[in-house]
Amino acid sequence: MNTNLELARVSTKQQMNQINKIIKVAVLSPLDSLFDYRPENGKKIEDYPIGSRVNVPFGSTKKIGIVISYSEKSKLNFEKLKPINSLIDKDPIVGKDFIKLATWISEYYIHPFGDALFNMLPNILRKGGSYNPYVMNMWKTNKKGQDLPLNTISKTPKQKRLLELLREKESNLKEISELDILKQGFSKEIIKKLFHKNLIEKYEKFYIPEKSQSLIDGKSENSNLKLTHEQKLSIDTIFDKLSSFEVILLDGITGSGKTEIYFQVINKVLASMKQVLVLIPEISLTPQTIQRFTKRFSKKIAIFHSKLSEKERLLAWRACKEEEAEIIIGTRSSIFTPLPNIGLIIIDEEHDSSYKQNDGLHYSARDIGIVKAKNQNIPIILGTATPSLESFHNAQKNKYTHTKLKQRAGNAKLPNIQILDIRNKVLDNGFSEEAIHLIKNTLKSGKQVLVFINRRGYAPLLMCHDCGWNALCPQCDARLTVHRKQEALRCHHCNFSSRIPEKCNSCESKNLVFIGQGTQRNTETLQNLFPHFPVIRIDRDSIQNKKSFEKYIKKINSGDPLILVGTQMLAKGHHFPLLSTIVILDIDQGIYNPDFRSEEKVTQLLTQVSGRAGRAEHEGNVLIQTYVPDNDILSSWKKGGYHGSIVEILKNREFHELPPFTHMGVIRADSTKPDEAFRFLKSLIDNNRNDCSQNCQIIGPIPLIMEKRAGRHRAQIIFKSKKRFDLNKTINNFKTLINSNKKNYRLRCSIDIDPSEVA
Ligand code: ADP
Ligand code: ZN
Ligand code: ZN
C-alpha cells in the first residue's frame, strides 16, 4: 500500500513537473541571471513566444522583460514563482540570432545579459512602447452596424451617411481613417454617437510618415566612372568572397576610390535580394555620405544616427526587421539592428575611435560586426586608409583577406610633405614664417588652405603674468580653456564653465595672459593676416547644427580661395577636392600623450589630415610644425608613410607585450570621495583567488593620469593576458568580487574589455 502511495505521489509529481514548465525572462538589471516566471492563470508557456516582451513583477516593482527560453527546472518552487503580468508582443520583437549575439556580447564584454540585451533595443521598445511607432485611428462597422437597416437611423441623417460611407468602403475592401472621415465633413461628435450606439469600432493601423528622416527612397543614378586597375582587382577579390564568412581589409589610401568599390559590391549583394549594413563613424559624416548612397541605389534605405527622434529610430529599426529596408547606414549602435536577410557588412573607416562605446556597455561596433558576420556566415569589409593595428596585424597573419589600393583614383596626386623644426623660430601667434608664406602663395594662386589644430577655444591656458597662477577646473585635474567669444573659461572634460576673471585668483593682479593656441585664436590671427580672404572655423563650437555645417560645406565646395581652421572634425572622411595646402600646428600634444595607442592615433591623424590635400588634380602641400622633428613617429611616418610607421609601432607593441600581441581589459572605479575607488580596487586584488590569474598579469590599482574628473576620483586595474580565456576568466572572477564588495563603498565601477584608451 505504502509503496503504491509513494509511486502515485512520484508520478503526480512528475506530471506536475511536466506541466509546471517555467518561462525564463531577461530584464534590464545589473544582475546576471535570467528570472523565472510562470504563465498567467489559464495560459500555457507557448502563449509567450521566445523574443516577445512581457510585463513582469520584479521585487516590489514591475519591469519589462523579454522571454528567452523555457525550462522545466527552477531554483524556486513552482508555487512560489510569480506569474507574468501580461504579454506585450504577440509576435517576437527579436529573433534567436539577436539573443545569440546578446549572449556573446554579455560573455565577451563581461556585462549583465539583460542589460546588454536591452541596450541593443531602440529606446521605445526598451520602455515597453509599441512596436509600431506611427499609428493612426481607423474606424469600421461591427456586426450590428453591418446588419442595421438604415431607415432605423434616418432621423439622424449625418449618422446615417457616415454609416453608409463605412459600409461602402468595406464592401470595396477599403479602409478609412478617422482623419479622412473628419476631412469628409463629419464631426467627432457624429463618430462618437455611432460608437455609443455600438455600431462601429476603432482599430489602429501602422503607417510611414511622408517626410521620414530615417527611411528614405533612393534614386538610381548610374556611375560613368572607369574603374582603376586597383579598384578592379579589389572588386574581383571581394566578389570571390561573397558566399561565406570572411573579413576583408580594404586598405586604400585617401582618394583611392573605396566608396566606388563599396557600391559595386553592394550592388552585387542587393541583386541576390539580401540586406546590406554600412557603418560610418559619426554624425558629421552623414549628410554627404547619405547623399552618395541615396543617389546611387533605388532602394529603401534605413538611416540611423544620434539626432533621430525615438520614433524615427524605431521606424527604421522596424523596417530592417521586416526586411523592408535593403540598405542600412548608421553609426555605432546600428550594429545591433536585426537584419534577418543580411548579406554583407561594411565598416567604413574601421580604425575610427567612435566605433568604441566607452560608457555603460563598453563595446566595439567593429568587433561585434565581425562576430555578427561570422554568426550569419557572410562577408564583412573593413575599409580604411589607416588600418587599426589590430586589423593590420590580423591581415598580416592571413586571418583577414587584405586588399590594397596605393594610388589615387582619377588624376589626383599625393601631397608633398614638409616637417618644420620650429625650435628657436619666431612665431606669429603660433605660425612660422614658412607657414604664413605657404598660405599666402596658396591663396594667391586661387586655392584653399586647411589649418589643423586639435584644440577648440581661444587658448588652452589662462595665466597670471605676475605670479604664475593658472586657471584650473575645480572638478578635474585639468586646465580651463579660454573661450574668448563667449568670454568664458571652460573645461573640456566636464561641463564646468565660468566667466573669464578680471584679476588673478591668487595675487589679484590684473595682468592675466592667454597662453597657447586654439581654433578661435588661430582664426583671429589668420583673419588679421589675410583680411581679404574668408577664414572659416570648423569645430564642435562653431558647428552647432547641421544647417550651419552644410552652409560651410557649400561655401568650401564653391571653390573660392579661403582658409579653413579645424579640429579633427575636418580630418574625418570629408572630401574637399579644392584643398591644396595643409598646415598642421600642434601634433606634438598627441605625441606626448601617455596612452599606449597614442603613436597609432597620431600617425592616423597625420595621414588622414594630409590625405585631405590635393585630392583633385592640384598638387598638394602639407607643412607640419613641431618642436620634436627627430621624433621616431614623425621620422618613420615621413620615410615610410602610414604602413611603414605602423610596422615600427607593431614591433614596439610586441616588445612591450601590448595589444594586438596580448589581450587587455581594465576595471575602472570612480567616486566623489578621494581614495574610495583606489581602496575598493585594492580590496578586489587582496581578495582575488583565481588560478587563471597566473596567466594574466594584474597591474594596479593605479590612479588614472587625470585622477580627478568631473568631481570624481578615479582608479583602475589593468589586466593583460596572452590568452583570451585567461583574461576573461580572471576578470569574471573580479566581477564576482565587485558585486560582493561594492555594498561597502560608494562608487561606480565598470569593466572595459579591449580598451581604446588606457591612461
Ligand atoms: P576614398 O574613400 O578611398 O578616400 P572616394 O571613394 O571618396 O575615396 O573617392 C575619391 C574621389 O575619387 C571621389 O570624388 C570619386 O568620385 C573619385 N573616383 C573614384 N573612383 C574613380 C575612378 N575610377 N576614376 C575617377 N575618379 C574616381
Ligand atoms: Zn597672480
Ligand atoms: Zn572639468
Side-chain angles (χ1 to χ4, degrees), residues 35-55:
F35 297 89
D36 296 349
Y37 292 91
R38 58 188 168 93
E40 295 159 82
N41 278 341
K43 293 215 164 147
K44 307 185 293 289
I45 54 163
E46 291 79 20
D47 295 331
Y48 303 89
I50 287 173
S52 287
R53 288 173 302 164
V54 284
N55 286 305

Side-chain angles (χ1 to χ4, degrees), residues 391-415:
S391 299
F392 185 76
H393 183 61
N394 280 326
Q396 281 198 320
K397 285 197 306 183
N398 289 327
K399 278 173 87 179
Y400 296 173
T401 295
H402 197 175
T403 156
K404 296 174 209 166
L405 293 95
K406 296 180 175 167
Q407 247 120 53
R408 288 190 163 177
N411 295 318
K413 296 196 182 69
L414 284 168

Side-chain angles (χ1 to χ4, degrees), residues 249 251 350-351 384-389 392 600 604 642-643 646:
L249 179 62
D251 179 356
E350 66 88 24
H351 64 279
T384 176
T386 53
S388 63
L389 293 199
F392 185 76
E600 175 183 359
Q604 281 166 353
Y642 183 73
H643 291 76
I646 58 174

Side-chain angles (χ1 to χ4, degrees), residues 653-718:
R653 295 266 188 97
E654 185 164 22
F655 181 78
H656 293 289
E657 301 194 335
L658 288 164
F661 299 94
T662 187
H663 304 293
M664 205 185 229
V666 180
I667 296 180
R668 298 191 191 87
D670 62 66
S671 169
T672 50
K673 274 167 80 180
D675 285 341
E676 182 87 341
F678 190 90
R679 284 195 307 115
F680 170 68
L681 294 179
K682 180 93 181 22
S683 81
L684 301 185
I685 291 183
D686 292 344
N687 290 329
N688 173 44
R689 320 222 176 295
N690 179 8
D691 297 341
C692 270
S693 312
Q694 286 169 8
N695 304 321
C696 179
Q697 200 186 343
I698 302 174
I699 306 160
I702 42 174
L704 271 73
I705 292 209
M706 189 192 288
E707 194 264 341
K708 191 169 105 182
R709 187 178 177 192
R712 303 185 74 90
H713 298 267
R714 311 184 296 166
Q716 60 192 336
I717 305 174
I718 299 165

Side-chain angles (χ1 to χ4, degrees), residues 225-228 231 252-260 292 409-410 575 615:
L225 286 179
K226 190 171 171 297
L227 292 178
T228 65
Q231 280 174 321
I253 62 166
T254 40
S256 58
K258 293 185 288 293
T259 313
E260 189 56 33
R292 277 173 101 171
H575 183 56
R615 291 189 77 173

Side-chain angles (χ1 to χ4, degrees), residues 450-628:
L450 165 65
V451 173
F452 176 83
I453 177 160
N454 217 359
R455 221 182 233 146
R456 292 180 290 128
Y458 188 82
L461 175 61
L462 176 78
M463 195 164 96
C464 170
H465 195 66
D466 292 351
C467 78
W469 168 84
N470 52 73
L472 299 176
C473 174
Q475 310 190 75
C476 305
D477 294 331
R479 295 196 176 105
L480 291 170
T481 303
V482 182
H483 284 250
R484 219 164 167 200
K485 242 188 178 150
Q486 298 80 5
E487 285 298 320
L489 290 177
R490 280 193 193 157
C491 175
H492 287 183
H493 305 281
C494 69
N495 283 329
F496 182 83
S497 157
S498 70
R499 289 187 62 79
I500 298 178
E502 278 169 14
K503 43 190 188 194
C504 168
N505 264 11
S506 171
C507 75
E508 307 221 322
S509 154
K510 290 200 170 174
N511 204 356
L512 297 178
V513 286
F514 305 134
I515 311 255
Q517 310 293 318
T519 46
Q520 280 185 5
R521 188 175 213 168
N522 292 146
T523 308
E524 191 181 282
T525 306
L526 289 164
Q527 197 64 84
N528 290 337
L529 286 168
F530 305 103
H532 303 299
F533 294 94
V535 182
I536 300 176
R537 174 165 62 94
I538 296 196
D539 59 23
R540 221 187 316 152
D541 302 319
S542 73
I543 308 297
Q544 298 292 4
N545 57 46
K546 209 170 110 187
K547 270 223 174 87
S548 64
F549 189 55
E550 276 167 6
K551 199 179 76 195
Y552 288 139
I553 299 279
K554 214 169 163 189
K555 177 128 185 137
I556 299 162
N557 287 339
S558 76
D560 297 337
L562 51 77
I563 306 175
L564 279 173
V565 178
T567 56
Q568 57 179 342
M569 245 186 132
L570 272 181
K572 293 191 177 174
H574 287 290
H575 183 56
F576 300 124
L578 300 152
L579 270 183
S580 91
T581 288
I582 292 178
V583 176
I584 299 177
L585 287 185
D586 73 334
I587 205 70
D588 296 1
Q589 186 202 358
I591 290 174
Y592 285 125
N593 188 325
D595 176 22
F596 80 92
R597 283 187 208 271
S598 68
E599 295 182 329
E600 175 183 359
K601 282 183 190 154
V602 166
T603 319
Q604 281 166 353
L605 198 61
L606 281 171
T607 313
Q608 294 283 349
V609 176
S610 309
R612 307 297 116 196
R615 291 189 77 173
E617 289 166 29
H618 319 272
E619 185 152 290
N621 285 296
V622 178
L623 179 88
I624 301 165
Q625 293 192 171
T626 175
Y627 287 101
V628 286

